[in-house]
């Protein structure tokens, strides 16, 4: 059976991609951010996942305001990137795993989450930048991935509680996959940031630190917040936190934080990365 070996959650700012292209990882501005990925690489090297389920939010590359699924999942054998502005080079395609995708689709729709299924799906910086942070050689060098998107740009948005429950359904689906595979769950987005309007540039370190603490052992303290609360505390794009909540749901039982780093600013955001070890659910034996 497949097992979830843990999770990584990270911010996904386009300028991180530009910094990697220009080799600025040791630049004083970027060093505190990129150095925090050394332990992530060590962890991935040790855990050796075979595939990733990547939970993120599209910013208008694959879905636009005319058609905006609340939740969508890729079912392709590969995922292309495309020019979305930001001056980012178009990344080579990432490998998919359509068999794993269709298993997740069957199980998660079976659990009453009406996903949009995408046999073609362009992946934007929210997928490509984190994948490159984890597998710096790029597209073909990364493990196969199943992309899952959560709408965080077109209101009304799903609640944190709903995203956490979606994640739980994804976690159950992964653990019922009959192949012996080691799966890592990756969440991208956040933390606090607002890119537009009067509060453009808004970052709330106190709230980010609160979320990084509570996501480990008291996620209910975050899912109790309304989207209005989250936008007030984390900025209008801080709702990308939803992807972290879905990741935490997928972890189901207990987790521990194996690594954690927070650095401000990274472009306009609180740059965060966390790695989670997963203690699988105990196997219940018949009495
Ligand atoms: C920025 C862009 C993002 O998509 C994000 O999630 C955080 C920051 C930015 O351009 O600063
Ligand atoms: Fe974003």
């Amino acid at each position: 059976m497949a097992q979830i070996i843990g999770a990584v959650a990270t911010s996904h700012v386009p300028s991180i991609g530009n910094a990697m292209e220009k080799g600025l990882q040791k630049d004083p501005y970027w060093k505190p951010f990129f150095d925090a990925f050394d332990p992530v690489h060590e962890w991935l090297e040790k855990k050796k996942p075979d595939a990733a389920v990547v939970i993120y939010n599209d910013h208008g590359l694959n879905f636009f305001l005319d058609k905006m699924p609340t939740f969508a999942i890729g079912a392709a054998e590969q995922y292309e990137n495309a020019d979305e502005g930001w001056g980012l080079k178009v990344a080579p395609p990432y490998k998919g795993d359509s068999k794993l995708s269709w298993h997740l689709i069957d199980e998660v729709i079976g659990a009453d989450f009406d996903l949009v299924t995408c046999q073609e799906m362009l992946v934007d910086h929210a997928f490509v930048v984190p994948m490159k942070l984890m597998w710096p050689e790029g597209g073909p060098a990364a493990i196969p991935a199943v992309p899952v998107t959560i709408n965080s740009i077109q209101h009304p948005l799903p609640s944190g509680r709903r995203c956490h429950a979606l994640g739980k359904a994804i976690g159950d689906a992964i653990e019922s996959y009959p192949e012996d595979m080691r799966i890592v769950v990756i969440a991208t987005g956040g933390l606090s940031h607002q890119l537009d309007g009067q509060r453009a540039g808004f970052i709330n370190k106190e709230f980010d630190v609160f979320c990084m603490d509570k996501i480990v052992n008291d996620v209910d303290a975050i899912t109790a917040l309304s989207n209005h609360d989250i936008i007030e505390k984390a900025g209008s794009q801080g709702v990308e936190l939803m992807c972290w909540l879905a990741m935490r749901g997928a972890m189901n039982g207990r987790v521990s934080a194996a690594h954690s780093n927070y650095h401000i600013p990274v472009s306009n955001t609180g740059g965060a990365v966390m790695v989670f070890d997963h203690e699988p659910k105990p196997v219940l034996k018949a009495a």
Side-chain angles (χ1 to χ4, degrees):
M1 296 298 279
Q3 53 165 314
I4 300 172
I5 52 96
V8 183
T10 175
S11 308
H12 64 217
V13 184
S15 58
I16 299 169
N18 276 320
M20 278 188 278
E21 269 162 33
K22 295 191 181 111
L24 299 177
Q25 289 91 334
K26 298 289 170 208
D27 183 272
Y29 179 88
W30 287 107
K31 193 173 165 13
F33 177 78
F34 282 107
D35 279 0
F37 279 82
D38 291 346
V40 182
H41 298 148
E42 281 161 27
W43 185 85
L44 288 169
E45 189 51 44
K46 197 171 79 193
K47 296 278 183 173
K48 299 203 184 327
D50 301 306
V53 174
V54 184
I55 306 172
Y56 71 103
N57 60 289
D58 182 85
H59 299 71
L61 182 72
N62 191 67
F63 303 116
F64 198 59
L65 304 181
D66 56 339
K67 299 179 197 72
M68 180 56 66
T70 301
F71 302 126
I73 182 166
E77 276 301 309
Q78 81 169 26
Y79 298 97
E80 310 253 346
N81 178 222
D83 186 1
E84 53 170 317
W86 312 106
L88 282 173
K89 259 204 246 160
V90 173
Y94 279 83
K95 291 177 290 207
D97 181 335
S98 59
K99 195 171 157 212
L100 174 60
S101 286
W102 283 111
H103 172 81
L104 298 184
I105 291 164
D106 279 341
E107 293 298 311
V108 173
I109 293 183
D112 294 340
F113 286 89
D114 305 320
L115 302 173
V116 170
T117 57
C118 305
Q119 300 192 53
E120 287 183 350
M121 193 167 175
L122 292 174
V123 287
D124 78 352
H125 71 272
F127 177 97
V128 167
V129 167
M131 289 295 277
K132 250 197 131 183
L133 279 167
M134 279 168 248
W135 291 277
E137 302 305 311
I143 57 176
V146 176
V148 175
T149 64
I150 296 179
N151 167 30
S152 78
I153 59 174
Q154 165 96 312
H155 289 256
L157 309 177
S159 67
R161 203 176 50 248
R162 183 74 176 151
C163 295
H164 183 258
L166 169 74
K168 191 165 179 321
I170 292 172
D172 289 344
I174 294 171
E175 288 181 327
S176 71
Y177 191 50
E179 305 275 323
D180 277 334
M181 281 177 78
R182 298 168 62 76
I183 311 255
V184 61
V185 180
I186 297 174
T188 95
L191 287 175
S192 64
H193 64 296
Q194 173 147 344
L195 302 178
D196 48 18
Q198 283 186 347
R199 290 201 306 169
F202 173 80
I203 292 177
N204 184 347
K205 178 177 175 183
E206 198 185 323
F207 182 65
D208 290 343
V209 170
F210 167 87
C211 290
M212 291 173 79
D213 175 37
K214 296 296 179 192
I215 196 125
V216 183
N217 284 324
D218 185 15
V219 71
D220 293 351
I222 311 175
T223 55
L225 300 172
S226 68
N227 285 336
H228 190 272
D229 291 334
I230 293 180
I231 288 169
E232 192 171 37
K233 289 175 196 300
S236 52
Q237 280 76 44
V239 283
E240 293 179 350
L241 178 63
M242 298 303 166
C243 302
W244 289 53
L245 293 174
M247 169 280 298
R248 184 64 185 84
M251 292 291 102
N252 243 322
R254 289 181 302 272
V255 298
S256 51
H259 171 58
S260 175
N261 187 65
Y262 181 76
H263 174 67
I264 41 177
V266 174
S267 186
N268 296 301
T269 192
V273 60
M274 291 185 79
V275 176
F276 301 89
D277 281 323
H278 181 227
E279 289 179 40
K281 282 179 292 190
V283 178
L284 296 177
K285 294 208 176 83

